[in-house]
Amino acid sequence: ENLLTKQDTAKGSVSVGDTANFDLSASAAVFQPASTQTMVTEPSKQDSSNAKDSGNTGANKSVKKGGEKSNKPDGKHSEGGKQGGKKQKGMDSNKKQKNNDRNDKPDGKPDDSGNRQGGKKQKGKSSNKKQKNNERNDDKQSTLSNKPKQNIKQPANKSKSVDATPLAPSIPPNVPQQTSDINYGKDERIKVLHVAEKPSIGLAIAKGLAKGSFDSGGKGLPVHTFTGPSFPKAPNASKCTHKVTSVAGHVFNVDFPSQYQSWDSVDPAELFDAPIKKTPCKGSVVKHLQDEARGVDFIVLWNDCDREGENINFEVLDCCMHLMKSGGGSSNYDRVYRAHFSAINPSDIIKAYNSLGKPDKNQSLSVDARQELDLKVGVAFSRFQTRYFQGRYGDLDSAVLSYGPCQTPTLGFCVQRHIDIETFKPEPYWTLELGLLKRGRMLRATWGSGRSFNKNKVEGLVTKCVEENATVRVTSRIIREKKQGRPVPLNTVGMLKACSKALGIGPHAALKTAESLYLSGYLSYPRTESTAYPKSFDIAGTLQQQTNDNRWGNYCSDLLRQGHTKSRGGVDAGDHPPITPCRSARAGELSGDMARVYDLVVRHFIASVSHDAVWRSTRVDFEIEALGDQGKFSVGGKEIITPGFLAVLMHKEYGEDADDGDEDDEERAIPEFEEGEIIPLMNQSSNSSSKVGVAPSVPCWGTLILKERMTTPPTYLTESELITKMEKHGIGTDASISTHIENVLKRNYCTLESGRRLVPSKLGLVLAQGYHVIDSSLVLPQVRSDIEDQCNKIAKGLANREDVVKRAIDIFRGKFDFFVKHIDRMDVLFSSSFAKLEDIGKPFTRCGITRRYLQFIPGPPARLYNKFTETVYPLPAGGTIKQWTGRKCTAPRCDFELCLYTVGQPPRTFPLCPSCFNSVDWSLSTEVQNAANPVDRDDANKEKQIRTIAGKALTLECPLPDNHPLIEELTVSPDPDSDGVFIVDPHFGPKWRMVSTRAPTIVYLPKSIEKLTVLDKTDEVLGCHLIKVEFKPNESPLSGGETNYVCSFPTDDVLQGMVRLYHGSERLKAPQCRGGRGRGGKGRGRSGRGRR
């Protein structure tokens, strides 16, 4: 029934599009490790040979026993050292697999299979036998491979092929390892490092665990230190010192290496086979973790209890597990634990501390798989279509034409609804309405036949009633009590829908607000799929916390006295309990959206454990015997008997129909009707042939009215309806759904209209329709849904990460090649909706090759276009572009006319050559690679990545390098506070000043200077140009009233004492900041005035 599919059929289906319904788990192909997908992490490169040496012994002894019968698809290993994993075909294949396993992890570390059993003792035949049985059971659950099982012995000495110097110790898989020696640290002092995901959670953990006060140090990532309580995994230690610190979200960032960053020189098709690397988001976080973990006995991970949190757990371990006290490799991992918690109040923290578990590697691997797929698929499609269409059309109103495996199907839902609306054809239909007046009240009974599209048929029924003087008979009157079920507990999707419907808060803002309430201790963890409270959840205690609130406190007290109920239905997903309040908030304690979301969550929780509402429902059926089966009518109403949960929460806030109630019945009282009662139906005095009536003197009378109406089209999707569709089709997760909707809005693919309805823009319509014309599976949800299913299997240990990624990449590579080959199909749609570059813009500057004027396209993004050569020159983003009086570039073989680029506050102006800015020879990106300090280089790369838009960076500095001839001609001094130089502002007076090329710094020269000239002669020591200064008569500071003065600014005391230095901002909006003191000058006040 999908219209998009209908159109595809009409135009001729595309072969690649037919792969929309594919099953990643159904492939029978033998998995070949993707050796080209090398992933590198750079947090530390310490030698871990100890871990290797300790691991080989245990591994060699166990291969013959365990390797023959372990065919687990995910490569799991038991504590006894069994060699599970993929089937091998001989010794050569075995050796190749061993070498490839070292690159299975996204950080480039050896896989779990090589040496993780080091130091572990065998647990006897019974343990081995039990493990074999478990592996056989797991084999039955695997759906990844249809190959016949093979039992091939692997020589023990093959384990020595593992690289002797891995980047970091291998991390074992998701196995329930425990400290083998309960007497570890007996009668000794031990240290425990706790790592949380955010500083605020770290502080809450310290408050929950410390019995008294604790010491806090550090600024960005504080460290809280205290003694006690005893550590549950080493209860015999004499003293336990705890250190609680945190990270700030993900420690590492997944991206392509620098050689794949260029949009111009890298073919997007190469990205599918390109390696990816993990680099620190911020080098200081890695160093902080390593400093704090050095020499500790145990590490406890307190990151959020979801897949992203598990991924961060292993990022933390990659940084610092090898620095723990003694041992190495898996022996260190035996002393790593994971706390499972859903709230950060003291009782939950203590409970989690006393029931520590192990981090889940499978969930972390599922995140790695999703990150790699989203990166390669999204960037490849986005780069190609952005460069292609921005090089042809000028009014696209979007800096990036992005594609996302989740974002694009989300757009597809909105576009499909728009097409349904636009292609809808209203049709008239007719219905009968029976009006009944009794005891002064008018009721309108509903026609049992609904409606008819045949007007003559309905008119004939009215005529028949008139001709036969028909009457109405009451056939039945039914009164019964109906229960309206209380709402199920609130999960993330339910909260997002409720906030959109009841509060008018969008999904992205709602989730951010809920996270803020969680970090402040008011709510439990807001990212959960569960809609049922676990048996251990303290419902009465949570209700008791709310008894002092003047809004619902009395209701909670009554509910506790009467006895609360269990939650209705729902599913316990096992990740987190539903969203609940963790502590009360007094009136006025919260404000804005935080107060509104908190109010909604508390009321929903109370309602979910309240009693059902009870209604008295009345239904009266009528019959006009003259019309036979076409003469049945009914009227209904209901009255509240026991409000139950409705006293604290009205269900209509959410717009959800109650499961047990009849929402078609209005809340109203129905007059008394007796079964068998006859109500006369007679002609009215009106001349209308479509109405019959009775004389008003009759106590109960009625009218039969013919109503003409029109069918109405569906409305645009609301946020709540869109979330429901995404959840149904498996697009995104409970945590990412809001982000995908936000991206669709930010990219200008949709606009948010009244009623929080999403209306596709012209750009969104063309993109979605274009995807369908080429390959409908790119915009339909099935492909992404299948991938999400496979990621879920990875998280459960039922699928192999490398296998899933390889097959998904192969599928999307084929789709990309087909998309590129047939891009002209989408171009037809763009050409009918957008203006081509040659038809818009205004002449701006001349091209140095053709000497023709280039047209300025304001964008976004801004660019120059040569319509004679169809060449596009992207311009720097973040500032303003102006012409510069016909000056030409002095770079060799360039000769392009120059522009002026102004950025920052206060504005700094630099010369700009559009050709050199886009030339590899004069690219600013090379400066980042030349950074000497690896940490500085990582931070610089991250900063560049954050600023990147459509392949060009947000340029908040001089757009040309300091060695460009244009910049060298104006250089008068090095900038000691940055790696840049000071150049004379190209406006050249009358307010003379110098600007730094790499920092928001301005040197204001005295107003007594009338003219300043940059000379060709340079300073022999610094290499800067000398300047010739002409002072105004009678204002010269020179002896004897001289007005002409030649000097080198960095070493000249005269000018140094007269200037004023100002440190501005790179922000695009003007900052509220003070002026600065000049070098040797005097500055004061907000104006920053100095000596003139």
Side-chain angles (χ1 to χ4, degrees):
E1 294 291 329
N2 190 303
L3 183 60
L4 291 177
T5 307
K6 289 181 179 179
Q7 293 177 344
D8 184 60
T9 304
K11 296 180 180 179
S13 60
V14 181
S15 60
V16 176
D18 295 337
T19 63
N21 298 315
F22 72 97
D23 185 0
L24 288 172
S25 65
S27 174
V30 178
F31 166 62
Q32 298 295 332
S35 57
T36 59
Q37 298 177 9
T38 303
M39 291 180 266
V40 181
T41 305
E42 301 178 18
S44 61
K45 297 186 179 180
Q46 285 80 357
D47 183 19
S48 58
S49 57
N50 292 338
K52 173 185 178 298
D53 296 338
S54 64
N56 286 339
T57 303
N60 292 341
K61 292 180 180 180
S62 62
V63 167
K64 289 187 177 181
K65 289 185 177 183
E68 296 180 357
K69 295 185 179 182
S70 179
N71 293 322
K72 296 180 67 177
D74 54 356
K76 284 190 177 180
H77 298 258
S78 70
E79 295 177 23
K82 293 185 182 298
Q83 186 68 30
K86 296 174 276 294
K87 295 91 179 170
Q88 307 295 333
K89 292 188 178 182
M91 296 175 63
D92 293 337
S93 176
N94 210 353
K95 182 176 180 180
K96 179 180 179 181
Q97 182 65 34
K98 278 282 188 176
N99 291 332
N100 283 333
D101 282 346
R102 291 198 299 270
N103 289 330
D104 281 351
K105 290 174 62 58
D107 49 3
K109 300 177 179 56
D111 189 46
D112 309 330
S113 58
N115 49 20
R116 61 189 171 205
Q117 298 93 350
K120 296 294 291 181
K121 296 181 180 181
Q122 298 292 340
K123 295 188 178 180
K125 294 183 178 179
S126 62
S127 176
N128 285 338
K129 183 176 181 180
K130 180 179 180 180
Q131 181 67 25
K132 292 177 183 178
N133 292 334
N134 289 338
E135 291 176 352
R136 293 191 190 102
N137 293 335
D138 287 344
D139 284 339
K140 295 177 181 180
Q141 299 174 7
S142 175
T143 59
L144 274 179
S145 178
N146 295 327
K147 299 181 297 181
K149 296 186 178 180
Q150 303 177 26
N151 295 326
I152 301 176
K153 282 191 176 182
Q154 178 178 347
N157 58 5
K158 288 296 180 183
S159 63
K160 295 182 180 180
S161 64
V162 178
D163 190 356
T165 57
L167 292 178
S170 64
I171 295 177
N174 183 35
V175 293
Q177 293 173 299
Q178 302 292 333
T179 304
S180 57
D181 186 5
I182 197 66
N183 292 319
Y184 180 92
K186 183 177 181 180
D187 300 328
E188 297 178 358
R189 295 183 177 183
I190 63 173
K191 293 182 179 179
V192 180
L193 175 65
H194 304 262
V195 183
E197 189 168 327
K198 301 176 182 68
S200 57
I201 298 179
L203 178 61
I205 293 170
K207 290 180 179 179
L209 295 180
K211 296 181 179 179
S213 60
F214 52 85
D215 297 328
S216 298
K219 295 182 179 179
L221 297 174
V223 180
H224 312 290
T225 307
F226 53 91
T227 302
S230 62
F231 191 60
K233 302 302 179 181
N236 297 319
S238 61
K239 185 178 181 181
C240 183
T241 301
H242 297 266
K243 294 194 298 182
V244 182
T245 187
S246 72
V247 293
H250 276 282
V251 182
F252 297 108
N253 176 62
V254 178
D255 203 353
F256 294 108
S258 57
Q259 62 266 32
Y260 293 92
Q261 294 291 338
S262 173
W263 286 47
D264 299 315
S265 61
V266 178
D267 184 350
E270 298 177 17
L271 299 178
F272 289 102
D273 294 317
I276 63 174
K277 66 175 183 177
K278 281 194 172 186
T279 55
C281 297
K282 196 171 184 180
S284 58
V285 176
V286 175
K287 184 177 184 302
H288 170 76
L289 290 173
Q290 293 175 343
D291 291 342
E292 298 304 325
R294 187 169 283 107
V296 301
D297 296 275
F298 294 89
I299 293 179
V300 180
L301 302 165
W302 292 80
N303 293 300
D304 290 346
C305 298
D306 55 12
R307 293 182 187 177
E308 294 291 339
E310 293 293 358
N311 193 254
I312 297 173
N313 282 338
F314 285 92
E315 291 179 351
V316 171
L317 295 182
D318 289 342
C319 294
C320 60
M321 188 178 76
H322 58 289
L323 298 174
M324 295 171 64
K325 182 179 178 181
S326 70
S330 59
S331 63
N332 279 0
Y333 183 75
D334 288 343
R335 290 179 281 114
V336 172
Y337 292 93
R338 200 261 197 269
H340 295 275
F341 61 101
S342 297
I344 55 175
N345 50 51
S347 61
D348 285 83
I349 289 173
I350 293 296
K351 182 179 178 181
Y353 178 73
N354 291 325
S355 56
L356 298 174
K358 302 297 288 187
D360 191 337
K361 183 63 178 293
N362 290 327
Q363 291 196 39
S364 176
L365 290 176
S366 72
V367 174
D368 290 335
R370 178 180 52 76
Q371 287 178 338
E372 182 175 353
L373 288 174
D374 289 349
L375 176 68
K376 290 186 173 182
V377 175
V379 173
F381 277 91
S382 298
R383 283 190 187 181
F384 173 75
Q385 65 187 25
T386 298
R387 303 299 280 175
Y388 183 87
F389 290 114
Q390 285 188 349
R392 300 171 67 86
Y393 304 98
D395 54 345
L396 298 181
D397 194 29
S398 183
V400 180
L401 301 184
S402 64
Y403 174 89
C406 286
Q407 167 194 297
T408 305
T410 302
L411 171 63
F413 291 133
C414 301
V415 172
Q416 181 61 53
R417 178 57 62 88
H418 172 83
I419 294 174
D420 293 341
I421 295 172
E422 291 298 317
T423 57
F424 183 85
K425 295 181 179 180
E427 295 184 45
Y429 67 90
W430 292 264
T431 185
L432 292 177
E433 185 178 277
L434 178 64
L436 300 167
L437 179 65
K438 186 168 187 178
R439 296 183 179 177
R441 295 188 57 189
M442 175 62 77
L443 301 176
R444 299 191 182 277
T446 304
W447 188 24
S449 299
R451 64 183 180 182
S452 173
F453 292 93
N454 189 332
K455 181 179 181 181
N456 293 333
K457 171 186 172 181
V458 183
E459 285 183 335
L461 295 176
V462 176
T463 302
K464 188 174 183 179
C465 288
V466 173
E467 292 175 349
E468 298 185 11
N469 292 323
T471 59
V472 180
R473 183 172 66 88
V474 179
T475 58
S476 65
R477 181 173 181 267
I478 302 173
I479 300 177
R480 62 177 180 176
E481 291 186 357
K482 284 187 177 182
K483 286 187 177 182
Q484 181 179 338
R486 56 196 177 277
V488 297
L490 196 63
N491 64 0
T492 304
V493 171
M495 182 196 69
L496 298 181
K497 293 165 65 176
C499 287
S500 179
K501 286 185 176 181
L503 306 180
I505 301 176
H508 188 71
L511 189 56
K512 289 291 184 184
T513 303
E515 287 177 343
S516 298
L517 290 167
Y518 161 67
L519 294 176
S520 302
Y522 290 100
L523 296 183
S524 62
Y525 191 61
R527 299 187 178 190
T528 175
E529 297 179 3
S530 297
T531 54
Y533 300 119
K535 294 180 180 179
S536 59
F537 184 74
D538 185 8
I539 296 178
T542 308
L543 286 172
Q544 185 64 42
Q545 291 177 345
Q546 302 294 330
T547 54
N548 294 326
D549 194 290
N550 57 12
R551 291 165 290 182
W552 47 71
N554 292 334
Y555 182 91
C556 291
S557 299
D558 294 340
L559 186 60
L560 287 171
R561 284 194 300 268
Q562 299 170 6
H564 63 79
T565 64
K566 295 181 180 180
S567 60
R568 180 175 67 93
V571 177
D572 185 358
D575 53 350
H576 288 280
I579 306 171
T580 58
C582 294
R583 64 185 177 97
S584 62
R586 297 185 301 272
E589 187 173 336
L590 298 173
S591 61
D593 286 349
M594 291 184 69
R596 300 169 66 207
V597 172
Y598 178 80
D599 182 275
L600 183 144
V601 172
V602 174
R603 290 183 181 275
H604 191 104
F605 162 70
I606 298 172
S608 69
V609 294
S610 297
H611 299 280
D612 294 340
V614 180
W615 297 86
R616 179 185 292 113
S617 173
T618 303
R619 176 186 174 91
V620 182
D621 293 325
F622 305 90
E623 181 182 21
I624 302 177
E625 295 182 353
L627 301 182
D629 292 338
Q630 300 290 326
K632 299 184 183 299
F633 297 83
S634 64
V635 65
K638 60 182 181 180
E639 299 174 272
I640 191 71
I641 299 176
T642 305
F645 75 92
L646 293 179
V648 70
L649 174 70
M650 292 303 294
H651 70 282
K652 287 189 181 298
E653 289 185 51
Y654 302 91
E656 300 287 357
D657 291 340
D659 292 338
D660 300 323
D662 185 1
E663 292 301 308
D664 291 333
D665 291 345
E666 297 181 25
E667 187 176 353
R668 59 181 177 179
I670 302 297
E672 293 277 343
F673 285 95
E674 296 293 335
E675 187 171 341
E677 180 180 352
I678 302 299
I679 303 172
L681 199 61
M682 299 173 61
N683 284 331
Q684 292 183 340
S685 58
S686 171
N687 294 326
S688 175
S689 62
S690 63
K691 297 181 180 180
V692 294
V694 297
S697 59
V698 179
C700 181
W701 56 276
T703 60
L704 187 63
I705 304 174
L706 175 64
K707 291 283 188 178
E708 180 179 356
R709 294 190 175 94
M710 299 291 291
T711 57
T712 57
T715 60
Y716 284 102
L717 289 176
T718 64
E719 290 171 326
S720 177
E721 292 169 339
L722 180 57
I723 292 171
T724 300
K725 284 183 172 290
M726 295 174 69
E727 183 185 28
K728 176 182 177 181
H729 293 279
I731 301 300
T733 64
D734 59 325
S736 64
I737 282 177
S738 61
T739 302
H740 301 317
I741 297 176
E742 182 73 7
N743 286 339
V744 169
L745 294 172
K746 284 175 20 179
R747 305 298 188 203
N748 292 329
Y749 296 162
C750 288
T751 58
L752 192 62
E753 305 295 342
S754 60
R756 306 204 68 83
R757 298 186 182 276
L758 290 99
V759 179
S761 66
K762 181 171 63 174
L763 178 59
L765 287 170
V766 171
L767 277 175
Q769 291 287 64
Y771 291 136
H772 176 72
V773 169
I774 299 176
D775 180 358
S776 61
S777 66
L778 292 174
V779 73
L780 297 178
Q782 186 60 47
V783 173
R784 182 61 189 192
S785 177
D786 291 339
I787 292 177
E788 288 289 350
D789 289 342
Q790 291 302 306
C791 288
N792 291 335
K793 289 183 179 180
I794 296 175
K796 296 175 182 178
L798 302 177
N800 179 273
R801 170 190 173 274
E802 286 75 24
D803 199 358
V804 170
V805 171
K806 181 179 182 299
R807 273 182 271 154
I809 288 295
D810 288 343
I811 289 171
F812 274 104
R813 182 192 290 108
K815 291 181 176 297
F816 179 80
D817 293 341
F818 192 87
F819 180 78
V820 172
K821 184 178 179 181
H822 297 89
I823 191 65
D824 56 311
R825 299 182 183 179
M826 183 183 283
D827 191 39
V828 172
L829 300 178
F830 270 84
S831 63
S832 62
S833 302
F834 298 99
K836 292 190 175 182
L837 289 177
E838 58 265 27
D839 299 330
I840 63 175
K842 61 179 181 180
F844 200 67
T845 57
R846 288 184 182 272
C847 172
I849 300 174
T850 64
R851 303 308 303 161
R852 303 272 190 170
Y853 272 104
L854 303 175
Q855 291 177 278
F856 177 68
I857 312 298
R863 54 207 186 275
L864 295 176
Y865 174 67
N866 189 330
K867 64 181 180 180
F868 301 97
T869 62
E870 295 189 355
T871 305
V872 178
Y873 299 93
L875 297 174
T880 58
I881 309 291
K882 294 182 179 180
Q883 296 164 300
W884 196 19
T885 64
R887 297 175 183 265
K888 296 180 180 179
C889 180
T890 56
R893 299 179 301 278
C894 183
D895 210 30
F896 271 68
E897 283 189 358
L898 301 176
C899 312
L900 290 178
Y901 180 69
T902 303
V903 69
Q905 290 294 336
R908 294 168 291 133
T909 302
F910 306 99
L912 169 64
C913 172
S915 177
C916 293
F917 176 71
N918 291 279
S919 172
V920 177
D921 296 334
W922 303 112
S923 173
L924 287 177
S925 60
T926 56
E927 297 183 358
V928 175
Q929 306 304 324
N930 294 331
N933 190 330
V935 175
D936 294 340
R937 189 185 309 120
D938 292 336
D939 285 344
N941 275 323
K942 180 61 178 176
E943 189 65 28
K944 291 289 184 182
Q945 181 188 24
I946 292 174
R947 294 175 176 180
T948 296
I949 288 183
K952 295 297 179 183
L954 278 176
T955 307
L956 305 180
E957 56 188 26
C958 179
L960 299 175
D962 294 343
N963 63 341
H964 191 280
L966 287 174
I967 305 303
E968 287 184 337
E969 291 175 2
L970 300 176
T971 300
V972 295
S973 171
D975 182 2
D977 297 330
S978 71
D979 295 330
V981 296
F982 281 106
I983 65 171
V984 176
D985 189 308
H987 283 115
F988 300 128
K991 296 181 180 180
W992 297 93
R993 62 181 190 170
M994 297 180 291
V995 294
S996 172
T997 56
R998 305 295 159 225
T1001 306
I1002 300 176
V1003 177
Y1004 290 94
L1005 297 174
K1007 293 183 178 180
S1008 58
I1009 294 179
E1010 185 172 11
K1011 184 177 181 181
L1012 186 147
T1013 305
V1014 181
L1015 304 178
D1016 293 335
K1017 187 177 180 181
T1018 59
D1019 185 288
E1020 296 180 357
V1021 178
L1022 299 176
C1024 302
H1025 286 272
L1026 302 182
I1027 56 175
K1028 179 180 178 181
V1029 180
E1030 297 181 22
F1031 291 98
K1032 295 178 181 179
N1034 302 323
E1035 296 185 28
S1036 173
L1038 304 176
S1039 59
E1042 293 288 337
T1043 57
N1044 295 333
Y1045 185 64
V1046 177
C1047 67
S1048 175
F1049 177 77
T1051 59
D1052 186 75
D1053 293 334
V1054 176
L1055 285 182
Q1056 287 284 331
M1058 301 175 67
V1059 301
R1060 176 168 57 90
L1061 187 65
Y1062 188 98
H1063 294 285
S1065 171
E1066 289 186 341
R1067 290 184 292 179
L1068 302 184
K1069 294 184 178 180
Q1072 299 297 323
C1073 58
R1074 295 175 178 266
R1077 297 174 66 94
R1079 296 178 181 172
K1082 298 179 181 179
R1084 67 177 187 271
R1086 292 184 178 272
S1087 62
R1089 292 183 297 171
R1091 180 185 301 170
R1092 297 182 179 178

